[in-house]
Amino acid sequence: MLSFNELLTFEYENEYESAYDLSVKRNFSIPKIYSANGDLSKRWYIYFSFRDPKNGKLERQTPFYGNANKYRTKEDRMSVLVTYRKVLLRLLGQGYSPYSDNIELHKSLNAKNTVGIIYDLPDNNTTPPSEKPKMTVKEGFDFAIKLKEKLVSINTKRDYESKIKNFLKWLSINHPEIKFISELNKKLVVEFLNDVLNRNSARTRNNYKTDLSSIFQVLVDNEIIEQNFIKKIPKLKSIPERNKTYSQDTQEEIFCYLEENDPILLLYIKFISYNFLRPIEVCRIKVKDIDTKNKTIRFKAKNSPLKTKIIPELLWTDLPDLNKLDKDAILFTPDKIGGTWNTMVGNRRDYFSKRFKRIVKDHFKLGIEYGLYSFRHTYITKVYRALMRDSSPFEAKSKLMLITGHSSMTALEKYLRDIDAELPEDYSTMLKNVYE
């Protein structure tokens, strides 16, 4: 005797249309799909009732799962269950009964190729069983972003959304015929990246490539598209933007000028200079992040969720009495130390960058190569050269790693090379010996 699961699975794999005689009194209820309100962590299935031949009542039958729950997207899972339900309706209409031997029915179905009308279902689950539901380009990207937002920071999500918005705008102008996410291809994305390159820089173009590739990988992982062809697009060589270190005289002139003209900006710069924080890390600081007893600060760093650093005495003496401030207050706001500022941390960083340009760069006529990062480079260089006076290079770098917070010696050494912190001693005697 064939079991219900065996019969239904077989008929799913060998599906063909069959007639359903509406004149026959139904001995079964219309099969329904249970989708757990879209929760993919729960099991989805088909359920129905069949009239018990002994008591004449409709009795709920064992739910049918099939292979539906192995699929990882709602669209795929629903498509499979819709097909199962369609086949089940056909079997029920042709005489299948969970209370009897169905061998003769099975033989009959294999011997005939009946074409007919499938019972008209009362809901909207009409997706063709042989096709996956098509997603528009925007729907595909929205789906990927929704999954990504659980894994990335708010700022990263905003970067994704911004780049996708620009891509969709470009697509609507240059290729309005493209409607579905499956229609995108490598040639089209290369065309878009070339447009980004023409309007911006190689670095910006590479950033677009990286972010779009990340989004496309989500679509591949969820079997919405077949491959991430963006991975095959080469990365262009770009010249990194680099902030130069300040000379001793320029740095002192800037500090003296800000003491009179913008003390808040000066203290902001001192956190970058003395604590070696990045501008956005300073913008994240709240009053409660500073331990007044141990003179330490906790902050979210670039490559780690949370770091702790000491606050050097040189900086500590410039801080106001933090015990008088609201613990949840943002440390740096436009008009005071310790206050409310309801805007994204990226907007805070941009504000202080523009304020620095207006107050400092324009006044001292500094070039594009000088910025807030230049103070971090300047003071790391100072500390490293001071350590080198009494230590070997390895000892000096080991001590410096504790101060700067670099995650590895390799990362620190690359950073020191990039900012030209490592300079050799005078080699004049070597040059003289060459000519003697």
Side-chain angles (χ1 to χ4, degrees):
M1 175 177 178
L2 289 176
S3 70
F4 170 63
N5 281 11
E6 290 171 338
L7 182 57
L8 184 51
T9 301
F10 180 86
E11 291 302 326
Y12 166 72
E13 294 171 349
N14 301 275
E15 185 206 353
Y16 58 87
E17 300 292 331
S18 64
Y20 175 63
D21 187 356
L22 296 177
S23 65
V24 177
K25 181 182 178 181
R26 284 206 311 266
N27 286 323
F28 53 86
S29 66
I30 297 173
K32 303 289 186 183
I33 293 176
Y34 174 72
S35 61
N37 292 322
D39 188 349
L40 291 170
S41 67
K42 296 181 179 179
R43 301 182 75 184
W44 295 22
Y45 54 82
I46 301 171
Y47 64 96
F48 73 105
S49 297
F50 198 92
R51 197 173 303 280
D52 189 325
K54 293 181 179 180
N55 58 30
K57 296 181 180 179
L58 288 174
E59 302 287 350
R60 182 75 171 265
Q61 302 300 307
T62 303
F64 179 75
Y65 302 93
N67 294 322
N69 292 295
K70 77 176 184 179
Y71 293 94
R72 296 179 293 175
T73 69
K74 296 177 184 178
E75 292 81 6
D76 286 348
R77 194 173 289 187
M78 182 59 74
S79 179
V80 171
L81 287 173
V82 166
T83 304
Y84 280 143
R85 182 176 60 173
K86 178 180 175 181
V87 175
L88 174 59
L89 274 168
R90 174 161 49 80
L91 291 172
L92 291 169
Q94 294 181 343
Y96 167 78
S97 170
Y99 295 98
S100 63
D101 191 325
N102 294 284
I103 293 179
E104 292 303 318
L105 172 62
H106 183 64
K107 291 179 179 178
S108 173
L109 291 174
N110 278 311
K112 294 186 295 182
N113 185 16
T114 308
V115 178
I117 301 173
I118 299 300
Y119 187 84
D120 186 16
L121 300 179
D123 55 36
N124 295 322
N125 291 318
T126 57
T127 305
S130 59
E131 299 179 11
K132 288 185 179 181
K134 286 187 176 181
M135 277 190 177
T136 65
V137 177
K138 186 177 186 306
E139 287 172 344
F141 285 146
D142 288 345
F143 173 82
I145 287 291
K146 189 170 182 61
L147 293 182
K148 272 287 186 182
E149 70 181 358
K150 307 294 184 182
L151 307 172
V152 300
S153 67
I154 294 176
N155 287 335
T156 300
K157 182 194 171 197
R158 288 174 63 200
D159 286 342
Y160 286 148
E161 290 174 334
S162 175
K163 290 181 174 66
I164 287 171
K165 180 180 177 182
N166 291 335
F167 177 68
L168 290 174
K169 182 178 179 181
W170 176 88
L171 194 66
S172 66
I173 295 172
N174 296 277
H175 293 278
E177 74 281 3
I178 301 295
K179 301 298 181 185
F180 299 105
I181 195 74
S182 58
E183 296 178 300
L184 298 180
N185 55 49
K186 180 182 175 183
K187 182 179 179 181
L188 189 144
V189 175
V190 167
E191 185 182 340
F192 169 69
L193 293 177
N194 288 340
D195 183 66
V196 173
L197 177 62
N198 290 333
R199 291 183 289 105
N200 297 279
S201 64
R203 181 181 182 184
T204 301
R205 180 264 190 198
N206 289 340
N207 288 339
Y208 266 88
K209 173 190 174 300
T210 300
D211 286 356
L212 287 176
S213 180
S214 181
I215 294 298
F216 270 67
Q217 192 57 49
V218 174
L219 298 174
V220 172
D221 293 343
N222 287 274
E223 299 181 357
I224 294 171
I225 59 176
E226 293 185 359
Q227 63 172 322
N228 184 359
F229 47 78
I230 299 181
K231 287 183 175 181
K232 299 178 181 179
I233 300 175
K235 182 179 179 180
L236 299 183
K237 183 178 180 180
S238 62
I239 301 173
E241 298 175 4
R242 194 183 111 188
N243 289 276
K244 289 185 176 179
T245 57
Y246 293 107
S247 67
Q248 182 72 22
D249 290 342
T250 301
Q251 175 262 307
E252 290 178 354
E253 288 176 9
I254 292 173
F255 277 29
C256 289
Y257 177 75
L258 290 177
E259 282 181 3
E260 297 292 330
N261 294 278
D262 198 336
I264 292 177
L265 181 58
L266 176 58
L267 186 59
Y268 179 88
I269 290 173
K270 285 183 176 180
F271 268 87
I272 298 171
S273 303
Y274 300 159
N275 252 125
F276 308 129
L277 301 183
R278 298 172 179 85
I280 197 165
E281 293 168 351
V282 179
C283 291
R284 292 191 184 109
I285 300 172
K286 293 184 177 182
V287 174
K288 64 182 178 183
D289 296 327
I290 298 177
D291 184 341
T292 56
K293 181 179 179 180
N294 297 305
K295 295 183 180 179
T296 59
I297 181 172
R298 301 181 72 191
F299 63 97
K300 184 183 181 304
K302 180 180 179 180
N303 297 317
S304 64
L306 203 62
K307 276 194 173 185
T308 301
K309 282 187 175 183
I310 66 164
I311 299 177
E313 192 66 25
L314 188 64
L315 176 58
W316 187 259
T317 56
D318 287 336
L319 292 177
D321 186 353
L322 300 177
N323 294 317
K324 296 180 180 179
L325 302 178
D326 180 2
K327 297 297 182 184
D328 291 316
I330 302 295
L331 188 63
F332 286 98
T333 69
D335 54 1
K336 66 178 181 178
I337 301 297
T340 58
W341 193 4
N342 296 320
T343 188
M344 303 291 289
V345 66
N347 295 336
R348 295 179 218 158
R349 176 196 57 196
D350 293 344
Y351 169 81
F352 276 105
S353 295
K354 292 175 181 176
R355 182 162 165 171
F356 174 73
K357 181 183 182 303
R358 186 179 71 253
I359 303 297
V360 176
K361 291 189 69 170
D362 292 349
H363 176 79
F364 287 94
K365 295 181 173 53
L366 299 172
I368 193 173
E369 66 273 19
Y370 291 100
L372 288 168
Y373 261 97
S374 296
F375 291 102
R376 187 172 185 263
H377 302 337
T378 299
Y379 276 84
I380 287 179
T381 300
K382 285 184 178 183
V383 172
Y384 177 63
R385 290 178 181 173
L387 289 170
M388 282 290 290
R389 295 191 195 114
D390 303 312
S391 307
S392 67
F394 180 79
E395 290 173 333
K397 291 171 187 175
S398 297
K399 294 176 183 177
L400 188 62
M401 272 185 64
L402 293 174
I403 298 172
T404 64
H406 281 86
S407 58
S408 67
M409 182 67 75
T410 301
L412 176 62
E413 288 175 339
K414 182 180 184 304
Y415 175 79
L416 294 174
R417 287 195 300 271
D418 288 344
I419 66 173
D420 293 330
E422 287 191 287
L423 295 177
E425 296 178 356
D426 185 7
Y427 47 89
S428 296
T429 55
M430 300 178 192
L431 294 174
K432 287 175 65 178
N433 290 336
V434 171
Y435 294 100
E436 292 179 355

